[in-house]
């Protein structure tokens, strides 16, 4: 038995040694195979410009494969802070966020970032998986890839739609393949994520795929697939899907059909992209654009958009209503040739040039009032608000214009009424002043002849019955004073008669009226010494007897104050003049006036008396040299004021005087 035990033990020992040798040989082969695999892996990483890393988070250490060292351009291991120094500031937060997300969620780390070392920038794609102990991250293993070439290629491919599609294919995101014969569908990991599933969590069949399709899109998608199989031409598609959590997504797909030798459909491949955000954003933008167009279309103001060259690019219906041009007529044409009056076009062009060169503008973002012109060249008043905007990536300007012609007309009417009220107040003030002057005259000038009459009559009564030469002289003085008193009273009566305004106006042909005045001078002693030249005069709506008195007074003055031994030449002329050229208190703005001038070559007067001569009882000359009471020109002024007009005079001593009469345009009936 002992021999048997020894034999058994020896046999077992020999068997164990043999088994051990066999196991060691297997381990050796496995190690050799692993080493070979390791070498092949490293070689593959080198060829693919990839590398791998093992980061001991707990101890702060890391190891890199040669491929990873080559990508990062380092010869020895490095820690995280040193590694982060080579990542641009713009990408550091992204890398840290990806790490934090992996540490706090599913442990999956994935990030694309730039890496700059030795003045060389690379684009790195990195992916890793975090290992946790008691929910605390202790290590991360993963791979890195130098995708600089692909990144640059993608950037260049985005210049066109075709190149953009190629760039999508290069990303291999959302790839799928449907084997028609066995109804098997292969999805990439991203496809599972798009459909709200864990990557590779289940086998996808055609029926399973259709279960995700929105009910309203199922029929359409089936028809698209059947048409692709019949025509062998797969079409791009837009599809709504419903994820397991109920979320609705919009996906965009592109397919490619593979046929067998008999040109029968064998396999359908394609890519898929989740465009939910872009779709919803585009939809929102389209709705906003539609709302904006509707707003512009129904805006109560004219809305006009021009580009930097002042070319019209938008013209809404209200613009057509205000200016008379249709959008088809004006879009593509310069704004200045459409609605800007000719006199303002140069200023508009200069303003545009100044803004584009310096950014300086006096009109942006504020409401202004200006003039515009319509299609029929009628000028209208506009309220303008203009703002800068962008159109097609270029500077543009959007203008909101409102026709305020009616408001301006009302405003002008109110202003005219206010001016008229001021004029009435001034007129009342003048009447009061004239009454004061009249009272003064009544208490002084009118009493002076009476006192003389009483004095000289007293002498007659106190003397003898014989009329001495002295008494005859006194009587002569009495007659002279009485005559002067009579003239004064008659002039005052005439002035009083013209003081009150009357509505008894009628059309008066001034040409005929001047002829009547000239005929009234036929009996003057020196009628051959007077020459009156009259230009074409209009027919005006005035009080006839007042205007007859007006021209009699003015022409009489011109004749009375002519220079000795000369012919009195009088020129009467008519013209239309804008109120902007007149400087009278109470002038009506934005109106034209009739201008009638009476010029003579008489003795003239000093310029300082140009206004004073129209005051009541004002005389510039001795009564013994020139007869008169100083009421004639005051009467002329009153007549003109009765017709809401103005009168002034200008003169040069020794060369003559010119009296200017200005009447509102409303007095004009017609031109003769």
């Amino acid at each position: 038995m002992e021999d048997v035990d020894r034999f058994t033990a020896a046999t077992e020992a020999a068997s164990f040694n043999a088994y051990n040798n066999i196991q060691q040989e297997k381990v050796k082969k496995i190690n050799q195979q692993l080493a070979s695999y390791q070498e092949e892996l490293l070689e593959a990483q080198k060829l693919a410009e990839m590398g791998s890393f093992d980061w001991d988070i707990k101890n702060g250490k890391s190891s890199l494969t040669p491929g990873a060292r080559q990508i990062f351009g380092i010869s020895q291991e490095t820690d995280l802070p040193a590694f982060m120094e080579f990542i641009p500031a713009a990408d550091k937060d992204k890398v840290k966020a990806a790490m934090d997300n992996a540490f706090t969620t599913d442990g999956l780390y994935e990030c694309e970032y730039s890496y700059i070392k030795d003045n060389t920038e690379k684009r790195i794609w990195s992916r890793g998986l975090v290992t946790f102990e008691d929910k605390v991250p202790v290590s991360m293993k993963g791979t890195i890839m130098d995708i600089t070439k692909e990144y640059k290629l993608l950037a260049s491919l985005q210049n066109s739609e075709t190149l953009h599609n190629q760039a999508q294919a290069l990303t291999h995101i959302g790839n799928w393949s449907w084997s028609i014969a066995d109804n098997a569908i292969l999805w990439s990991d991203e496809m599972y994520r798009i459909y709200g599933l864990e990557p590779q969590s289940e086998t996808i069949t055609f029926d399973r795929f259709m279960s995700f399709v929105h009910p309203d899109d199922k029929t359409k998608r089936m028809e698209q697939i059947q048409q692709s199989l019949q025509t062998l031409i797969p079409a791009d598609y837009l599809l709504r899907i419903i994820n397991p959590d109920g979320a609705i997504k919009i996906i965009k797909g592109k397919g490619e059909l593979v046929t067998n030798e008999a040109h029968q459909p064998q396999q359908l491949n394609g890519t898929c992209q989740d465009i939910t955000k872009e779709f919803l954003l585009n939809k929102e933008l389209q709705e906003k654009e539609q709302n904006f167009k509707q707003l512009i279309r129904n805006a109560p103001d004219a809305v006009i958009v021009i580009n930097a060259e002042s070319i019209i690019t938008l013209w809404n219906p209200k613009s057509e209503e205000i200016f008379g041009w249709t959008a088809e007529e004006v879009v593509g044409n310069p704004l200045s040739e459409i609605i800007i009056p000719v006199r303002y076009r140069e200023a508009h062009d200069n303003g545009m040039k100044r803004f584009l060169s310096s950014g300086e503008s006096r009109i942006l973002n504020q409401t202004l009032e200006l003039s515009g012109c319509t299609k029929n060249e009628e000028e209208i008043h506009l309220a303008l608000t203009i703002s800068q905007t962008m159109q097609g990536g270029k500077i543009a300007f959007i203008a909101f214009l409102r026709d305020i012609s009616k408001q301006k007309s009302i405003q002008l009417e109110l202003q005219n009424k206010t001016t008229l009220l001021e004029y009435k107040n001034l007129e009342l003030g003048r009447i009061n002043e004239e009454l004061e002057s009249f009272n003064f005259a009544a208490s002084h000038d009118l009493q002076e002849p009476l006192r003389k009459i009483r004095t000289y009559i007293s002498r007659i009564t106190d003397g003898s019955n014989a009329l001495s030469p002295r008494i005859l002289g006194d009587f002569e003085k009495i007659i002279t004073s009485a005559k002067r008193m009579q003239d004064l009273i008659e002039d005052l009566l005439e002035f009083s008669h013209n003081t009150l305004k009357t509505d008894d106006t009628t059309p008066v042909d001034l040409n005929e009226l001047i002829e009547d005045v000239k005929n009234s001078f036929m009996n003057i002693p020196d009628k051959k010494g007077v020459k009156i030249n009259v230009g074409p005069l209009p027919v005006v709506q005035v009080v006839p007897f007042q205007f007859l008195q007006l021209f009699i007074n003015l022409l009489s003055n011109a004749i009375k104050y002519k220079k000795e031994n000369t012919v009195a030449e009088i020129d009467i002329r008519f013209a239309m003049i804008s109120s902007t050229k007149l400087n009278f208190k109470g002038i009506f703005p934005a109106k034209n006036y009739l201008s009638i001038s009476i010029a003579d070559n008489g003795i003239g007067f000093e310029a300082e008396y140009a206004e004073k001569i129209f005051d009541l009882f004002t005389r510039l000359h001795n009564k013994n040299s020139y007869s008169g009471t100083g009421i004639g020109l005051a009467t002329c002024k009153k007549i003109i004021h009765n017709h809401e007009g103005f009168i002034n005079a200008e003169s040069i001593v020794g060369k003559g005087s010119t009296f200017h009469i200005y009447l509102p345009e409303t007095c004009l009936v017609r031109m003769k």
Side-chain angles (χ1 to χ4, degrees), residues 514-528:
I514 295 299
E515 286 300 318
D516 292 340
V517 175
K518 289 168 64 177
N519 291 334
S520 69
F521 294 147
M522 293 298 294
N523 296 323
I524 62 176
D526 189 17
K527 62 181 181 181
K528 293 183 179 180

Side-chain angles (χ1 to χ4, degrees), residues 94-308:
K94 183 167 67 171
V95 174
K96 291 179 180 178
M99 290 182 179
D100 292 341
N101 182 66
F103 293 159
T104 57
T105 56
D106 56 1
L108 181 62
Y109 163 77
E110 186 172 0
C111 189
E112 181 182 326
Y113 54 89
S114 293
Y115 181 86
I116 303 176
K117 189 173 185 302
D118 299 330
N119 296 323
T120 301
E121 181 176 359
K122 295 181 179 181
R123 194 70 180 178
I124 307 297
W125 177 83
S126 178
R127 184 169 183 168
L129 187 63
V130 179
T131 301
F132 297 88
E133 290 182 1
D134 297 329
K135 298 183 180 181
V136 177
V138 295
S139 65
M140 179 195 294
K141 294 182 180 180
T143 59
I144 60 171
M145 179 183 291
D146 184 352
I147 59 169
T148 305
K149 294 179 181 178
E150 291 81 356
Y151 179 78
K152 292 181 178 180
L153 177 61
L154 288 175
S156 62
L157 291 178
Q158 291 173 352
N159 293 328
S160 67
E161 181 65 22
T162 301
L163 295 179
H164 178 64
N165 293 333
Q166 294 178 6
Q168 288 184 350
L170 289 174
T171 61
H172 300 290
I173 296 176
N175 295 332
W176 55 268
S177 178
W178 175 36
S179 178
I180 301 173
D182 56 12
N183 197 27
I185 297 179
L186 297 178
W187 275 3
S188 67
D189 290 350
E190 190 61 26
M191 282 293 296
Y192 281 91
R193 295 190 186 97
I194 290 174
Y195 280 77
L197 301 174
E198 290 293 328
Q200 311 304 325
S201 59
E202 61 175 281
T203 301
I204 304 299
T205 63
F206 184 81
D207 292 337
R208 177 57 170 155
F209 156 70
M210 289 300 297
S211 70
F212 290 102
V213 179
H214 194 283
D216 295 341
D217 292 351
K218 287 182 182 290
T219 302
K220 181 180 178 181
R221 184 58 187 145
M222 284 295 298
E223 291 175 351
Q224 290 175 338
I225 294 173
Q226 291 173 359
Q227 185 178 9
S228 297
L229 296 178
Q230 291 173 2
T231 61
L232 304 182
I233 302 175
D236 296 347
Y237 60 91
L238 200 64
L239 188 65
R240 285 178 296 174
I241 63 171
I242 303 177
N243 285 2
D245 61 0
I248 298 178
K249 291 184 178 180
I250 312 297
I251 61 173
K252 181 180 180 181
K254 184 178 180 67
E256 182 180 27
L257 191 64
V258 179
T259 61
N260 57 21
E261 295 179 355
H263 296 288
Q264 295 176 334
Q266 183 176 4
Q267 188 170 319
L268 192 61
N269 302 324
T271 59
C272 173
Q273 184 179 10
D274 180 1
I275 61 167
T276 305
K277 292 182 179 179
E278 293 83 351
F279 181 85
L280 295 178
L281 179 60
N282 287 334
K283 183 178 179 181
E284 182 181 358
L285 290 175
Q286 289 174 0
E287 291 175 351
K288 289 182 178 179
E289 183 178 358
Q290 186 63 29
N291 292 337
F292 176 74
K293 289 181 178 179
Q294 191 69 16
L295 178 65
I296 295 300
R297 189 178 299 112
N298 298 322
D301 295 339
V303 181
I304 303 173
V305 177
I306 62 172
N307 60 21

